[in-house]
Amino acid sequence: MANEPKKRSITGKLVANVLTEREDDFTCNVTYVANRSIKDLCRIRAAKGSKYTAAEYESMYNDLEETAKEEMYSGSTVEFGFTNNSLGVDGPFIGPGAAFDPAKNNVSIRSTTRSVFREDLKSINVIISGVEENLPTITTVTDVVTEKVNSQLTPSGNLNGEGKRVKVVGSEGSTVGFFFINADTEEETAVPKTSVSRNDPSFFSFTIPQLAKGYYYLEIATQYGGNSKTVLKEVRRNRFPYKLRVGEDEERPGEL
């Protein structure tokens, strides 16, 4: 029918979920086909016969983004892009007379998917193209300073980890190693090779970089193929699924 929505689809590969004991438990990693910046989107839209040029689209977007920031930073909830956005305050406030303390509290952006896009997502078809083999998989990380598991990071302290195929190996010119990805900004911080003190197939240890307060994902990239003689042709990169926090613990006295 003429009014039928365009059928869209994405492709993904199954990845063994080693965080559970079931051998038949998998998760799906989407295979991304491109990385589109705002400039790319403006160029693509202009090329479709629009009355605006790519530069004009970008200028309008920048103006809208600036207005959205001004409104959100002043306490409004703002519909922008795929999400509704607002500011929140993280960290503990102990007692009714507590004030905002930059050492314990921070302002963060909270985003929720707009309802119109939640409906769109229901119509996207997912094609499983196979099983992803030989992915390095982190199963547990322990912050040595706090002894907390899968939750905390202490900059300049050590992080001990366990997993499968987590030995960092790379051919010349390949980007391999451990990386912290800021959960809000996607900014990447690499762990220097000189900070890694243990680099085994099932265990690793390194000194945590000087990360700013916030939440991070840990990713590993390697060409390790399962034994000392096997180096994969391509770098395999995988993300530890838990968010890791830098900063004060949000637990309050008396809470479990």
Side-chain angles (χ1 to χ4, degrees), residues 38-71:
I38 294 300
K39 285 183 178 291
D40 293 332
L41 296 178
C42 293
R43 174 181 51 78
I44 292 169
R45 182 59 192 172
K48 291 184 176 181
S50 171
K51 64 179 179 179
Y52 300 111
T53 66
E56 289 171 330
Y57 270 123
E58 188 175 356
S59 177
M60 288 185 284
Y61 172 86
N62 290 337
D63 288 344
L64 282 173
E65 183 183 52
E66 191 62 34
T67 301
K69 286 196 296 185
E70 290 175 2
E71 291 298 312

Side-chain angles (χ1 to χ4, degrees), residues 17-229:
N17 184 2
V18 297
L19 301 181
T20 67
E21 295 181 356
R22 293 188 55 147
E23 294 184 359
D24 60 348
D25 190 356
F26 291 82
T27 59
C28 179
N29 277 4
V30 174
T31 303
Y32 298 106
V33 298
N35 180 17
R36 302 298 190 194
S37 66
I38 294 300
K39 285 183 178 291
D40 293 332
L41 296 178
C42 293
R43 174 181 51 78
I44 292 169
R45 182 59 192 172
K48 291 184 176 181
S50 171
K51 64 179 179 179
Y52 300 111
T53 66
E56 289 171 330
Y57 270 123
E58 188 175 356
S59 177
M60 288 185 284
Y61 172 86
N62 290 337
D63 288 344
L64 282 173
E65 183 183 52
E66 191 62 34
T67 301
K69 286 196 296 185
E70 290 175 2
E71 291 298 312
M72 186 172 66
Y73 292 170
S74 299
S76 297
T77 59
V78 177
E79 176 186 298
F80 193 70
F82 298 105
T83 61
N84 287 310
N85 307 280
S86 60
L87 297 183
V89 179
D90 299 328
F93 289 84
I94 309 302
F100 180 88
D101 182 353
K104 298 180 178 180
N105 309 112
N106 63 283
V107 178
S108 61
I109 296 177
R110 298 174 179 174
S111 301
T112 56
T113 306
R114 292 169 53 194
S115 58
V116 61
F117 294 110
R118 288 199 295 269
E119 290 301 313
D120 284 348
L121 296 179
K122 295 177 183 179
S123 67
I124 296 177
N125 185 38
V126 178
I127 302 169
I128 303 299
S129 62
V131 178
E132 188 76 73
E133 302 287 354
N134 298 320
L135 273 183
T137 304
I138 299 170
T139 55
T140 304
V141 295
T142 302
D143 182 69
V144 175
V145 174
T146 64
E147 298 184 346
K148 292 189 175 180
V149 178
N150 298 345
S151 61
Q152 196 81 9
L153 295 171
T154 303
S156 296
N158 280 354
L159 189 73
N160 292 339
E162 300 180 20
K164 295 184 178 181
R165 295 179 293 275
V166 292
K167 184 174 183 177
V168 175
V169 174
S171 56
E172 186 176 354
S174 298
T175 301
V176 297
F178 296 96
F179 304 87
F180 286 103
I181 312 300
N182 187 292
D184 294 320
T185 66
E186 290 295 316
E187 182 180 358
E188 178 179 290
T189 301
V191 176
K193 292 181 180 179
T194 54
S195 296
V196 179
S197 56
R198 186 173 183 180
N199 184 28
D200 297 332
S202 299
F203 301 94
F204 62 85
S205 183
F206 59 75
T207 302
I208 301 169
Q210 285 295 327
L211 301 171
K213 188 176 180 181
Y215 287 94
Y216 295 84
Y217 288 108
L218 174 62
E219 294 187 356
I220 179 175
T222 180
Q223 289 176 263
Y224 179 68
N227 61 63
S228 59
K229 297 181 180 180

